[in-house]
Coordinates of all heavy atoms in Angstrom, one line a residue:
Chain A
D13 N -7.7 -6.1 -30.9 CA -8.1 -5.9 -29.5 C -6.9 -5.7 -28.7 O -6.9 -5.8 -27.5 CB -9.0 -7.0 -29.0 CG -8.3 -8.4 -29.0 OD1 -7.1 -8.5 -29.6 OD2 -8.7 -9.4 -28.5
K15 N -4.6 -3.1 -27.2 CA -4.7 -1.7 -26.9 C -3.5 -1.3 -26.0 O -3.3 -1.8 -25.0 CB -6.0 -1.4 -26.2 CG -7.2 -1.7 -26.9 CD -8.4 -1.2 -26.2 CE -9.7 -2.1 -26.4 NZ -9.9 -3.1 -25.3
T18 N -3.7 2.8 -22.7 CA -4.9 3.0 -21.9 C -4.6 3.5 -20.5 O -3.6 3.3 -20.0 CB -5.7 1.7 -21.8 OG1 -5.0 0.8 -21.1 CG2 -6.0 1.0 -23.3
K20 N -5.8 2.2 -17.9 CA -5.5 1.1 -17.1 C -4.1 0.7 -17.1 O -3.5 0.4 -16.1 CB -6.3 -0.1 -17.5 CG -6.1 -1.4 -16.6 CD -7.3 -2.3 -16.6 CE -8.3 -2.1 -15.5 NZ -9.4 -2.9 -15.4
V21 N -3.4 0.6 -18.3 CA -1.9 0.3 -18.3 C -1.1 1.4 -17.7 O 0.0 1.1 -17.2 CB -1.5 -0.2 -19.6 CG1 -2.2 -1.4 -20.0 CG2 -1.6 0.8 -20.8
Q27 N 0.7 1.3 -10.0 CA 0.3 0.3 -9.0 C 1.4 -0.6 -8.6 O 1.6 -1.0 -7.4 CB -0.9 -0.6 -9.4 CG -2.1 0.1 -9.9 CD -3.0 0.5 -8.7 OE1 -2.6 0.3 -7.6 NE2 -4.3 0.8 -9.1
M28 N 2.2 -1.0 -9.7 CA 3.3 -1.9 -9.4 C 4.5 -1.3 -8.7 O 5.3 -2.0 -8.1 CB 3.9 -2.5 -10.8 CG 2.8 -3.3 -11.6 SD 2.0 -4.5 -10.6 CE 0.3 -4.2 -11.1
K30 N 4.0 0.6 -6.0 CA 3.6 0.9 -4.7 C 4.5 0.2 -3.6 O 5.0 -1.0 -3.9 CB 2.2 0.4 -4.5 CG 1.2 1.4 -5.1 CD -0.2 1.1 -4.6 CE -0.7 -0.3 -5.1 NZ -2.1 -0.5 -4.8
K44 N 22.7 2.2 -11.1 CA 23.1 0.8 -10.8 C 23.0 0.7 -9.2 O 22.4 -0.3 -8.7 CB 24.5 0.4 -11.2 CG 24.7 0.4 -12.7 CD 24.1 -0.9 -13.3 CE 24.8 -2.1 -13.1 NZ 24.2 -3.3 -13.7
E47 N 19.4 0.6 -8.2 CA 18.7 -0.8 -8.5 C 19.2 -1.8 -7.6 O 18.4 -2.6 -7.1 CB 19.1 -1.1 -10.0 CG 18.4 -2.5 -10.4 CD 18.7 -2.8 -11.8 OE1 19.8 -2.9 -12.2 OE2 17.7 -3.0 -12.6
E48 N 20.5 -1.8 -7.3 CA 21.1 -2.8 -6.4 C 20.5 -2.6 -5.0 O 20.5 -3.6 -4.1 CB 22.6 -2.8 -6.4 CG 23.1 -3.5 -7.6 CD 24.5 -3.2 -8.0 OE1 25.3 -2.6 -7.1 OE2 24.9 -3.3 -9.1
V52 N 12.5 0.8 -7.0 CA 11.5 0.2 -8.0 C 11.5 1.0 -9.2 O 11.0 0.5 -10.3 CB 10.1 0.3 -7.4 CG1 9.9 -0.7 -6.3 CG2 9.7 1.7 -7.0
S87 N 17.4 -2.4 -15.4 CA 16.1 -3.0 -16.1 C 14.8 -2.6 -15.3 O 13.8 -2.9 -15.7 CB 16.2 -4.6 -15.9 OG 16.2 -5.0 -14.6
I88 N 15.0 -1.8 -14.3 CA 13.8 -1.2 -13.7 C 13.3 0.1 -14.5 O 14.0 0.5 -15.2 CB 14.0 -0.8 -12.1 CG1 15.3 0.1 -12.1 CG2 14.3 -2.1 -11.2 CD1 15.6 0.6 -10.7
D111 N 9.7 5.3 -19.3 CA 8.6 4.6 -18.8 C 7.5 5.5 -18.2 O 6.4 5.1 -18.0 CB 9.0 3.5 -17.8 CG 9.9 2.4 -18.4 OD1 9.2 1.8 -19.3 OD2 11.0 2.3 -18.2
Q265 N 14.5 -0.3 3.0 CA 14.1 -1.2 4.2 C 13.0 -0.4 5.0 O 12.1 -1.1 5.5 CB 15.3 -1.5 5.0 CG 16.2 -2.6 4.4 CD 15.5 -3.9 4.3 OE1 14.8 -4.2 3.4 NE2 15.8 -4.7 5.3
D272 N 7.5 -0.9 11.6 CA 8.4 -1.6 12.5 C 9.5 -0.8 12.9 O 10.6 -0.7 12.3 CB 8.9 -2.9 11.7 CG 9.4 -3.9 12.7 OD1 10.0 -3.4 13.8 OD2 9.4 -5.1 12.4
D278 N 17.3 -0.1 13.4 CA 18.5 -0.9 12.8 C 19.0 -0.2 11.6 O 20.3 0.0 11.6 CB 18.0 -2.3 12.5 CG 19.2 -3.2 12.4 OD1 20.3 -2.9 12.8 OD2 19.0 -4.4 11.9
Chain B
Q15 N 6.5 -5.4 -1.8 CA 6.4 -4.2 -2.6 C 5.5 -4.6 -3.7 O 5.3 -5.8 -4.0 CB 7.8 -3.9 -3.2 CG 7.9 -2.7 -4.1 CD 7.6 -3.0 -5.5 OE1 8.2 -4.0 -6.1 NE2 6.8 -2.3 -6.3
G16 N 4.7 -3.7 -4.3 CA 3.9 -4.0 -5.5 C 2.4 -3.9 -5.2 O 2.0 -3.4 -4.2
E20 N -4.5 -5.2 -3.9 CA -5.4 -5.5 -4.9 C -5.7 -7.0 -5.0 O -6.9 -7.4 -5.1 CB -5.0 -5.0 -6.3 CG -5.1 -3.6 -6.5 CD -3.9 -2.8 -5.8 OE1 -2.9 -3.4 -5.3 OE2 -4.1 -1.6 -5.7
R44 N 7.4 -11.7 6.4 CA 8.5 -12.5 7.1 C 8.3 -14.0 6.9 O 7.2 -14.6 6.8 CB 8.5 -12.2 8.6 CG 8.6 -10.9 8.9 CD 8.8 -10.6 10.4 NE 8.7 -9.2 10.6 CZ 9.4 -8.2 10.0 NH1 10.4 -8.6 9.2 NH2 9.1 -6.9 10.3
V66 N 15.9 -8.0 -3.9 CA 16.8 -7.2 -3.1 C 16.3 -6.9 -1.7 O 17.0 -7.1 -0.7 CB 17.2 -5.9 -3.8 CG1 18.1 -5.0 -2.8 CG2 18.0 -6.1 -5.1
M73 N 19.9 -8.0 7.3 CA 20.4 -6.9 8.1 C 19.8 -7.0 9.6 O 20.3 -6.4 10.5 CB 20.2 -5.6 7.5 CG 20.9 -5.3 6.2 SD 20.0 -4.0 5.3 CE 20.6 -2.5 6.4
H74 N 18.6 -7.5 9.7 CA 18.0 -7.3 10.9 C 18.1 -8.6 11.8 O 17.1 -8.8 12.6 CB 16.4 -6.9 10.7 CG 16.3 -6.0 9.7 ND1 17.0 -4.7 9.8 CD2 15.7 -6.0 8.5 CE1 16.6 -4.0 8.7 NE2 15.9 -4.8 7.9
Y78 N 15.3 -10.6 14.7 CA 14.4 -11.7 14.4 C 15.1 -13.0 14.3 O 16.3 -13.1 14.1 CB 13.8 -11.4 13.0 CG 13.1 -10.1 13.0 CD1 13.5 -8.9 12.4 CD2 11.8 -10.0 13.7 CE1 12.8 -7.8 12.4 CE2 11.1 -8.9 13.8 CZ 11.5 -7.7 13.1 OH 10.9 -6.6 13.2
N118 N 19.6 -9.1 -14.8 CA 21.0 -8.9 -14.3 C 21.5 -10.1 -13.4 O 20.9 -10.5 -12.6 CB 21.0 -7.6 -13.5 CG 22.3 -7.1 -13.1 OD1 23.3 -7.8 -13.1 ND2 22.4 -5.8 -13.0
E120 N 23.6 -10.4 -11.3 CA 23.8 -10.2 -9.8 C 22.7 -10.6 -9.0 O 22.8 -11.0 -7.8 CB 24.1 -8.6 -9.6 CG 25.4 -8.2 -10.1 CD 25.5 -6.7 -10.2 OE1 25.2 -6.0 -9.3 OE2 25.7 -6.3 -11.3
Y121 N 21.4 -10.6 -9.5 CA 20.3 -10.9 -8.7 C 20.0 -12.3 -8.7 O 19.1 -12.8 -8.2 CB 19.0 -10.1 -9.2 CG 19.3 -8.6 -9.3 CD1 19.5 -7.9 -10.4 CD2 19.5 -7.9 -8.0 CE1 19.7 -6.5 -10.4 CE2 19.8 -6.6 -8.0 CZ 19.9 -5.8 -9.2 OH 20.2 -4.6 -9.2
R138 N 12.1 -11.4 -19.2 CA 11.7 -10.2 -18.6 C 11.5 -9.1 -19.7 O 12.1 -9.1 -20.6 CB 12.6 -9.6 -17.5 CG 12.8 -10.5 -16.4 CD 13.8 -10.0 -15.3 NE 13.4 -8.8 -14.6 CZ 14.0 -7.7 -14.6 NH1 15.1 -7.4 -15.2 NH2 13.5 -6.7 -13.8
Q144 N 7.3 0.6 -21.1 CA 5.9 1.0 -20.7 C 5.0 1.4 -21.9 O 3.8 1.1 -22.0 CB 5.9 2.1 -19.7 CG 4.5 2.6 -19.3 CD 3.5 1.6 -18.7 OE1 4.0 0.5 -18.3 NE2 2.3 1.8 -18.7
F148 N 0.1 -3.2 -22.6 CA -1.2 -3.3 -23.3 C -2.3 -4.1 -22.6 O -2.0 -4.8 -21.6 CB -0.9 -4.0 -24.8 CG -0.4 -5.5 -24.6 CD1 -1.3 -6.4 -24.8 CD2 0.9 -5.6 -24.4 CE1 -0.8 -7.8 -24.7 CE2 1.4 -7.0 -24.4 CZ 0.6 -8.0 -24.5
E149 N -3.5 -3.9 -23.1 CA -4.6 -4.7 -22.7 C -5.1 -5.5 -23.9 O -5.1 -5.1 -25.0 CB -5.8 -3.8 -22.3 CG -5.6 -3.0 -21.0 CD -6.9 -2.2 -20.7 OE1 -7.9 -2.8 -20.5 OE2 -6.8 -1.0 -20.7
K150 N -5.4 -6.8 -23.7 CA -5.9 -7.6 -24.8 C -6.7 -8.8 -24.2 O -6.3 -9.3 -23.1 CB -4.7 -8.1 -25.5 CG -5.0 -8.9 -26.8 CD -3.7 -9.5 -27.4 CE -4.0 -10.5 -28.5 NZ -4.7 -9.9 -29.7
R169 N 4.7 -3.9 -18.7 CA 6.1 -4.2 -18.8 C 6.2 -5.8 -18.5 O 7.1 -6.2 -17.8 CB 6.9 -3.4 -17.8 CG 7.1 -2.0 -18.2 CD 7.8 -1.1 -17.1 NE 8.9 -1.7 -16.4 CZ 10.2 -1.6 -16.8 NH1 10.5 -0.8 -17.8 NH2 11.1 -2.2 -16.2
L211 N -5.9 -6.5 -11.4 CA -6.2 -5.1 -11.9 C -7.5 -5.2 -12.7 O -8.0 -4.2 -13.3 CB -5.2 -4.6 -12.6 CG -3.8 -4.2 -12.0 CD1 -2.8 -3.6 -13.0 CD2 -4.0 -3.5 -10.8

Side-chain angles (χ1 to χ4, degrees):
Chain A
D13 63 350
K15 299 187 215 93
T18 62
K20 182 160 262 180
V21 299
Q27 304 273 15
M28 298 311 135
K30 283 192 299 189
K44 297 284 287 180
E47 184 177 55
E48 282 160 20
V52 291
S87 66
I88 53 177
D111 294 296
Q265 284 292 84
D272 192 333
D278 196 16
Chain B
Q15 185 269 314
E20 288 71 15
R44 306 193 189 296
V66 171
M73 292 160 72
H74 314 305
Y78 300 109
N118 191 331
E120 288 159 56
Y121 304 110
R138 291 178 76 233
Q144 176 60 15
F148 62 100
E149 289 183 61
K150 186 182 169 69
R169 284 171 47 93
L211 297 184

